[in-house]
Amino acid sequence: MAQPHTPTPADLQKSVTEAQPSGERGRTALAVGVVEKIAGMAAREVSGIHALGSGFSRTFGAMRDRVPGSKSSVGRGIKAEVGEKQTAIDIALVVEYGVVIPRLASEVRANIIEAVERMTGLEVVEVNIAVNDVHLPDEPDEEEEEEPSSSGRRPRVQ
């Protein structure tokens, strides 16, 4: 018995293009933030990632997240370029100590490509990964650090 063919994102793109020539019934435009959020969620699904973004963007994002009414940015640490048919993604990571970085990067890249192509129909031409830091087990998270006065102890230096 023949196995049914599972369509790839390229097949879906072809069928959409063939069925509806561009401009005839309208077009769909995807905002850069859409691709960045999808990529961010896909990256976070991979075990071994501590955080996304550079030190500065994580610090700034942590401050922004503390503002009442603000929303945390799922796409923090991700930059995407989006065209009509293709996209390219750059991502900055902080990894957990002990993970094999080349293997982790390969898993993150594959997960991002699969999620973005499946959800958007865009071809992902590249996913560039920058590992900016390694989180050690005994290091506090930047977002979890407290002000000395809020811990109930007197500051040691005045």
Side-chain angles (χ1 to χ4, degrees), residues 15-82:
S15 65
V16 169
T17 305
E18 292 166 3
Q20 298 177 357
S22 69
E24 213 173 281
R25 296 194 185 232
R27 65 182 205 109
T28 302
L30 296 169
V32 171
V34 171
V35 173
E36 291 173 348
K37 283 183 179 183
I38 293 168
M41 291 301 294
R44 283 179 172 82
E45 292 174 354
V46 178
S47 178
I49 293 180
H50 178 72
L52 299 181
S54 65
F56 176 76
S57 71
R58 290 192 327 269
T59 301
F60 183 74
M63 291 176 9
R64 186 182 59 232
D65 291 347
R66 290 184 179 135
V67 174
S70 70
K71 296 180 182 178
S72 65
S73 175
V74 175
R76 184 184 310 150
I78 300 175
K79 299 292 181 218
E81 293 179 36
V82 179

Coordinates of all heavy atoms in Angstrom, one line a residue, residues 15-82:
S15 N 1.1 25.3 -4.4 CA -0.4 25.2 -4.7 C -1.1 26.5 -4.5 O -2.0 26.8 -5.2 CB -0.9 24.1 -3.8 OG -0.9 24.5 -2.4
V16 N -0.7 27.3 -3.5 CA -1.3 28.6 -3.3 C -1.1 29.5 -4.5 O -1.9 30.1 -5.0 CB -0.8 29.2 -2.0 CG1 -1.3 30.7 -1.9 CG2 -1.3 28.4 -0.8
T17 N 0.2 29.5 -4.9 CA 0.6 30.3 -6.1 C -0.2 29.9 -7.3 O -0.6 30.7 -8.1 CB 2.1 30.3 -6.3 OG1 2.7 30.6 -5.1 CG2 2.5 31.2 -7.4
E18 N -0.2 28.6 -7.6 CA -0.9 28.1 -8.8 C -2.4 28.4 -8.7 O -3.0 28.7 -9.7 CB -0.6 26.6 -9.0 CG 0.8 26.3 -9.3 CD 1.2 24.9 -9.2 OE1 0.3 24.1 -8.9 OE2 2.4 24.6 -9.3
A19 N -3.0 28.2 -7.6 CA -4.5 28.3 -7.5 C -4.9 29.8 -7.5 O -5.9 30.1 -8.0 CB -4.9 27.7 -6.2
Q20 N -4.1 30.7 -6.9 CA -4.4 32.1 -6.9 C -3.2 32.9 -7.4 O -2.3 33.2 -6.6 CB -4.8 32.5 -5.5 CG -6.0 31.8 -4.9 CD -6.3 32.2 -3.5 OE1 -5.5 33.0 -2.9 NE2 -7.3 31.7 -3.0
P21 N -3.1 33.2 -8.6 CA -2.0 34.0 -9.1 C -2.0 35.3 -8.3 O -3.0 35.9 -8.0 CB -2.3 34.3 -10.6 CG -3.3 33.2 -11.0 CD -4.0 32.8 -9.7
S22 N -0.7 35.8 -8.0 CA -0.6 36.9 -7.1 C -1.3 38.2 -7.7 O -1.3 38.4 -8.9 CB 0.9 37.3 -6.9 OG 1.4 37.7 -8.1
G23 N -2.0 38.9 -6.8 CA -2.7 40.1 -7.2 C -4.1 39.8 -7.7 O -4.9 40.8 -7.7
E24 N -4.5 38.6 -8.1 CA -5.8 38.4 -8.6 C -6.9 38.4 -7.5 O -7.9 39.0 -7.7 CB -5.8 37.0 -9.3 CG -6.8 37.0 -10.5 CD -6.7 35.7 -11.2 OE1 -5.7 35.6 -12.0 OE2 -7.5 34.8 -11.0
R25 N -6.6 37.9 -6.3 CA -7.6 37.8 -5.3 C -7.1 38.4 -4.0 O -7.6 38.2 -2.9 CB -8.0 36.4 -5.0 CG -8.7 35.8 -6.2 CD -9.4 34.5 -5.8 NE -10.0 33.9 -6.9 CZ -11.3 33.5 -7.0 NH1 -12.0 33.7 -6.0 NH2 -11.7 32.9 -8.0
G26 N -6.0 39.2 -4.1 CA -5.4 39.8 -2.9 C -4.1 39.1 -2.5 O -3.7 38.1 -3.1
R27 N -3.5 39.7 -1.5 CA -2.2 39.1 -1.1 C -2.2 39.1 0.4 O -2.9 39.9 1.1 CB -1.0 39.8 -1.7 CG -0.9 41.3 -1.2 CD 0.3 41.9 -1.9 NE 0.8 43.0 -1.0 CZ 1.9 43.0 -0.4 NH1 2.7 42.0 -0.4 NH2 2.2 44.0 0.4
T28 N -1.3 38.3 1.0 CA -1.1 38.2 2.4 C 0.2 38.7 2.8 O 1.2 38.3 2.2 CB -1.3 36.7 2.9 OG1 -2.6 36.3 2.5 CG2 -1.1 36.7 4.4
A29 N 0.3 39.7 3.6 CA 1.6 40.2 4.1 C 1.8 39.9 5.5 O 0.9 40.0 6.4 CB 1.6 41.7 3.9
L30 N 3.0 39.4 5.9 CA 3.3 39.0 7.2 C 4.2 40.0 7.8 O 5.3 40.4 7.3 CB 4.0 37.6 7.3 CG 3.2 36.5 6.8 CD1 4.0 35.2 6.6 CD2 2.0 36.2 7.8
A31 N 3.9 40.5 9.0 CA 4.7 41.5 9.7 C 6.0 40.8 10.2 O 5.9 39.6 10.5 CB 4.0 42.1 10.9
V32 N 7.1 41.5 10.3 CA 8.3 40.9 10.8 C 8.1 40.3 12.2 O 8.6 39.3 12.6 CB 9.4 42.0 10.9 CG1 10.6 41.5 11.6 CG2 9.7 42.4 9.5
G33 N 7.3 41.0 13.1 CA 7.0 40.5 14.4 C 6.4 39.2 14.5 O 6.6 38.4 15.4
V34 N 5.6 38.8 13.5 CA 5.0 37.5 13.4 C 6.0 36.4 13.3 O 6.0 35.4 14.1 CB 4.0 37.4 12.2 CG1 3.4 36.0 12.1 CG2 2.8 38.4 12.5
V35 N 6.9 36.6 12.4 CA 8.0 35.6 12.2 C 8.9 35.5 13.4 O 9.3 34.5 13.9 CB 8.8 35.9 10.9 CG1 10.0 35.0 10.8 CG2 7.9 35.8 9.7
E36 N 9.2 36.7 14.0 CA 10.0 36.7 15.2 C 9.4 36.0 16.4 O 10.1 35.3 17.1 CB 10.4 38.2 15.6 CG 11.3 38.8 14.6 CD 11.5 40.3 14.8 OE1 10.8 40.9 15.7 OE2 12.4 40.9 14.2
K37 N 8.1 36.2 16.6 CA 7.4 35.5 17.7 C 7.4 34.0 17.4 O 7.6 33.2 18.4 CB 6.0 36.0 17.8 CG 5.9 37.3 18.5 CD 4.5 37.8 18.8 CE 4.5 39.1 19.5 NZ 3.1 39.5 19.8
I38 N 7.1 33.6 16.2 CA 7.1 32.1 15.9 C 8.4 31.5 16.2 O 8.6 30.5 16.8 CB 6.6 31.9 14.4 CG1 5.1 32.3 14.3 CG2 6.8 30.4 14.1 CD1 4.7 32.3 12.8
A39 N 9.5 32.2 15.7 CA 10.9 31.7 15.9 C 11.2 31.7 17.4 O 11.8 30.7 17.8 CB 11.8 32.6 15.1
G40 N 10.8 32.7 18.1 CA 11.1 32.7 19.6 C 10.4 31.6 20.3 O 11.0 30.9 21.2
M41 N 9.2 31.3 20.0 CA 8.5 30.2 20.6 C 9.1 28.9 20.2 O 9.3 28.0 21.1 CB 7.0 30.2 20.2 CG 6.2 31.3 20.8 SD 6.2 31.4 22.6 CE 5.4 29.9 23.0
A42 N 9.5 28.7 19.0 CA 10.1 27.5 18.5 C 11.5 27.3 19.2 O 11.8 26.1 19.6 CB 10.3 27.5 17.0
A43 N 12.2 28.3 19.4 CA 13.5 28.2 20.0 C 13.4 27.8 21.5 O 14.1 27.0 22.0 CB 14.3 29.5 19.9
R44 N 12.4 28.4 22.1 CA 12.2 28.1 23.6 C 11.8 26.6 23.8 O 11.9 26.1 24.9 CB 11.2 29.0 24.2 CG 11.7 30.4 24.4 CD 10.6 31.4 25.0 NE 11.2 32.6 25.4 CZ 11.4 33.6 24.6 NH1 11.1 33.5 23.3 NH2 11.9 34.8 25.0
E45 N 11.3 26.0 22.8 CA 10.9 24.6 22.9 C 12.0 23.6 23.1 O 11.9 22.5 23.5 CB 10.0 24.1 21.7 CG 8.7 24.8 21.6 CD 7.9 24.5 20.4 OE1 8.5 23.8 19.5 OE2 6.7 24.9 20.3
V46 N 13.2 24.1 22.7 CA 14.4 23.2 22.7 C 15.1 23.3 24.1 O 15.3 24.4 24.6 CB 15.4 23.7 21.6 CG1 16.7 22.8 21.7 CG2 14.8 23.6 20.3
S47 N 15.3 22.1 24.7 CA 15.9 22.1 26.0 C 17.3 22.5 25.9 O 18.1 22.1 25.0 CB 15.8 20.6 26.5 OG 16.4 20.5 27.8
G48 N 17.8 23.2 26.9 CA 19.2 23.6 27.0 C 19.4 25.1 26.8 O 20.5 25.7 27.0
I49 N 18.3 25.8 26.4 CA 18.4 27.3 26.3 C 17.9 27.9 27.6 O 16.9 27.6 28.1 CB 17.5 27.7 25.1 CG1 18.0 27.2 23.8 CG2 17.3 29.3 25.1 CD1 17.2 27.6 22.6
H50 N 18.8 28.8 28.1 CA 18.5 29.5 29.3 C 17.6 30.8 29.0 O 16.7 31.1 29.7 CB 19.7 29.9 30.1 CG 19.4 30.7 31.3 ND1 18.9 30.1 32.4 CD2 19.6 32.0 31.6 CE1 18.7 31.1 33.3 NE2 19.1 32.2 32.8
A51 N 18.1 31.6 28.0 CA 17.4 32.8 27.6 C 17.7 33.2 26.2 O 18.6 32.6 25.6 CB 17.8 33.9 28.5
L52 N 16.9 34.1 25.6 CA 17.1 34.6 24.3 C 17.6 36.0 24.4 O 17.1 36.8 25.3 CB 15.8 34.5 23.5 CG 15.2 33.2 23.2 CD1 14.0 33.3 22.3 CD2 16.2 32.2 22.6
G53 N 18.5 36.4 23.6 CA 18.9 37.8 23.5 C 20.3 38.0 24.1 O 20.8 37.2 24.8
S54 N 20.8 39.2 23.9 CA 22.1 39.6 24.4 C 21.9 40.1 25.8 O 20.8 40.3 26.3 CB 22.8 40.7 23.6 OG 22.0 41.9 23.7
G55 N 23.0 40.3 26.6 CA 22.9 40.8 27.9 C 22.1 42.1 28.0 O 21.2 42.3 28.9
F56 N 22.4 43.0 27.1 CA 21.7 44.3 27.1 C 20.2 44.2 26.8 O 19.4 44.7 27.5 CB 22.3 45.3 26.1 CG 21.6 46.6 26.0 CD1 21.8 47.5 27.0 CD2 20.7 46.9 25.0 CE1 21.1 48.8 26.9 CE2 20.1 48.1 24.9 CZ 20.2 49.0 25.9
S57 N 19.9 43.4 25.8 CA 18.5 43.3 25.5 C 17.7 42.5 26.6 O 16.5 42.8 26.8 CB 18.3 42.6 24.1 OG 18.6 41.2 24.2
R58 N 18.3 41.6 27.3 CA 17.7 40.9 28.4 C 17.5 41.8 29.6 O 16.4 41.8 30.2 CB 18.5 39.7 28.8 CG 18.4 38.5 27.8 CD 19.0 37.2 28.3 NE 20.0 37.3 29.3 CZ 21.3 37.3 29.0 NH1 21.7 37.2 27.8 NH2 22.2 37.4 30.0
T59 N 18.5 42.7 29.9 CA 18.4 43.6 31.0 C 17.3 44.7 30.7 O 16.4 44.9 31.5 CB 19.7 44.3 31.2 OG1 20.7 43.3 31.5 CG2 19.6 45.3 32.3
F60 N 17.3 45.2 29.5 CA 16.3 46.2 29.1 C 14.9 45.6 29.1 O 14.0 46.2 29.5 CB 16.7 46.8 27.7 CG 15.7 47.8 27.2 CD1 15.8 49.1 27.8 CD2 14.8 47.6 26.3 CE1 14.9 50.1 27.4 CE2 13.9 48.6 25.9 CZ 13.9 49.8 26.4
G61 N 14.8 44.4 28.5 CA 13.5 43.7 28.5 C 13.0 43.4 29.9 O 11.8 43.5 30.1
A62 N 13.9 43.0 30.8 CA 13.5 42.7 32.2 C 12.9 44.0 32.8 O 11.9 44.0 33.6 CB 14.6 42.2 33.0
M63 N 13.5 45.1 32.6 CA 13.0 46.4 33.1 C 11.7 46.7 32.5 O 10.8 47.2 33.2 CB 14.0 47.5 32.8 CG 15.3 47.4 33.6 SD 16.6 48.6 33.3 CE 15.9 49.8 32.2
R64 N 11.6 46.5 31.2 CA 10.3 46.8 30.5 C 9.2 45.9 31.0 O 8.0 46.3 31.1 CB 10.5 46.7 29.0 CG 9.3 47.1 28.2 CD 9.4 46.9 26.7 NE 9.7 45.5 26.4 CZ 10.7 45.0 25.7 NH1 11.6 45.9 25.2 NH2 10.9 43.7 25.5
D65 N 9.5 44.6 31.3 CA 8.5 43.7 31.7 C 7.9 44.1 33.1 O 6.8 43.7 33.5 CB 9.1 42.3 31.8 CG 9.4 41.7 30.4 OD1 8.9 42.3 29.4 OD2 10.1 40.7 30.4
R66 N 8.7 44.9 33.9 CA 8.2 45.3 35.2 C 7.3 46.4 35.2 O 6.6 46.7 36.2 CB 9.4 45.6 36.1 CG 10.3 44.4 36.4 CD 11.4 44.7 37.4 NE 12.1 43.5 37.7 CZ 13.4 43.4 37.7 NH1 14.2 44.5 37.5 NH2 14.0 42.3 38.0
V67 N 7.2 47.1 34.0 CA 6.2 48.2 33.9 C 4.8 47.7 33.9 O 4.5 46.8 33.1 CB 6.6 49.0 32.6 CG1 5.5 50.1 32.4 CG2 7.9 49.6 32.7
P68 N 3.9 48.2 34.7 CA 2.6 47.7 34.7 C 1.9 47.9 33.4 O 2.0 48.9 32.7 CB 1.9 48.5 35.8 CG 3.0 49.0 36.7 CD 4.2 49.2 35.8
G69 N 1.3 46.8 32.9 CA 0.5 46.9 31.6 C 1.4 46.5 30.4 O 0.9 46.3 29.3
S70 N 2.7 46.3 30.6 CA 3.5 46.0 29.5 C 3.5 44.4 29.3 O 3.2 43.7 30.2 CB 5.0 46.4 29.7 OG 5.6 45.7 30.7
K71 N 3.8 44.0 28.1 CA 3.8 42.6 27.8 C 5.2 42.1 27.5 O 6.0 42.9 27.0 CB 2.9 42.3 26.6 CG 1.5 42.6 26.8 CD 0.7 42.3 25.5 CE -0.8 42.7 25.7 NZ -1.6 42.5 24.5
S72 N 5.6 40.9 28.0 CA 6.9 40.4 27.7 C 7.0 40.1 26.2 O 6.0 39.7 25.5 CB 7.2 39.2 28.5 OG 6.4 38.1 28.1
S73 N 8.2 40.3 25.7 CA 8.4 40.1 24.2 C 8.9 38.7 23.9 O 10.0 38.3 24.3 CB 9.4 41.1 23.7 OG 9.7 40.9 22.4
V74 N 8.1 37.9 23.3 CA 8.4 36.6 22.9 C 9.5 36.6 21.9 O 10.4 35.7 21.8 CB 7.2 35.8 22.4 CG1 7.5 34.4 21.9 CG2 6.1 35.7 23.4
G75 N 9.6 37.6 21.1 CA 10.6 37.7 20.0 C 11.9 38.4 20.4 O 12.7 38.7 19.6
R76 N 12.1 38.6 21.7 CA 13.3 39.2 22.2 C 14.5 38.4 21.8 O 14.5 37.2 21.9 CB 13.3 39.4 23.7 CG 14.5 40.1 24.3 CD 14.5 40.1 25.8 NE 13.2 40.6 26.3 CZ 12.7 40.2 27.5 NH1 13.4 39.4 28.2 NH2 11.6 40.7 27.9
G77 N 15.5 39.0 21.3 CA 16.7 38.3 20.8 C 16.7 37.8 19.4 O 17.6 37.1 19.0
I78 N 15.6 38.1 18.7 CA 15.4 37.6 17.4 C 15.2 38.7 16.4 O 14.4 39.6 16.7 CB 14.2 36.6 17.3 CG1 14.5 35.5 18.3 CG2 14.0 36.1 15.9 CD1 13.4 34.5 18.4
K79 N 15.9 38.7 15.3 CA 15.7 39.6 14.2 C 15.4 38.8 13.0 O 16.0 37.8 12.7 CB 16.9 40.5 14.0 CG 17.4 41.3 15.2 CD 16.4 42.4 15.4 CE 16.9 43.2 16.6 NZ 15.8 43.6 17.5
A80 N 14.3 39.3 12.2 CA 14.0 38.6 11.0 C 13.9 39.6 9.9 O 13.5 40.8 10.1 CB 12.6 37.9 11.2
E81 N 14.2 39.1 8.7 CA 13.9 39.8 7.5 C 12.9 39.0 6.7 O 13.0 37.8 6.5 CB 15.2 40.0 6.6 CG 16.3 40.8 7.2 CD 17.5 40.8 6.3 OE1 17.4 40.8 5.1 OE2 18.6 40.9 6.9
V82 N 11.8 39.7 6.3 CA 10.7 39.0 5.7 C 10.4 39.6 4.3 O 10.3 40.8 4.1 CB 9.4 39.1 6.5 CG1 8.3 38.4 5.9 CG2 9.7 38.5 7.9

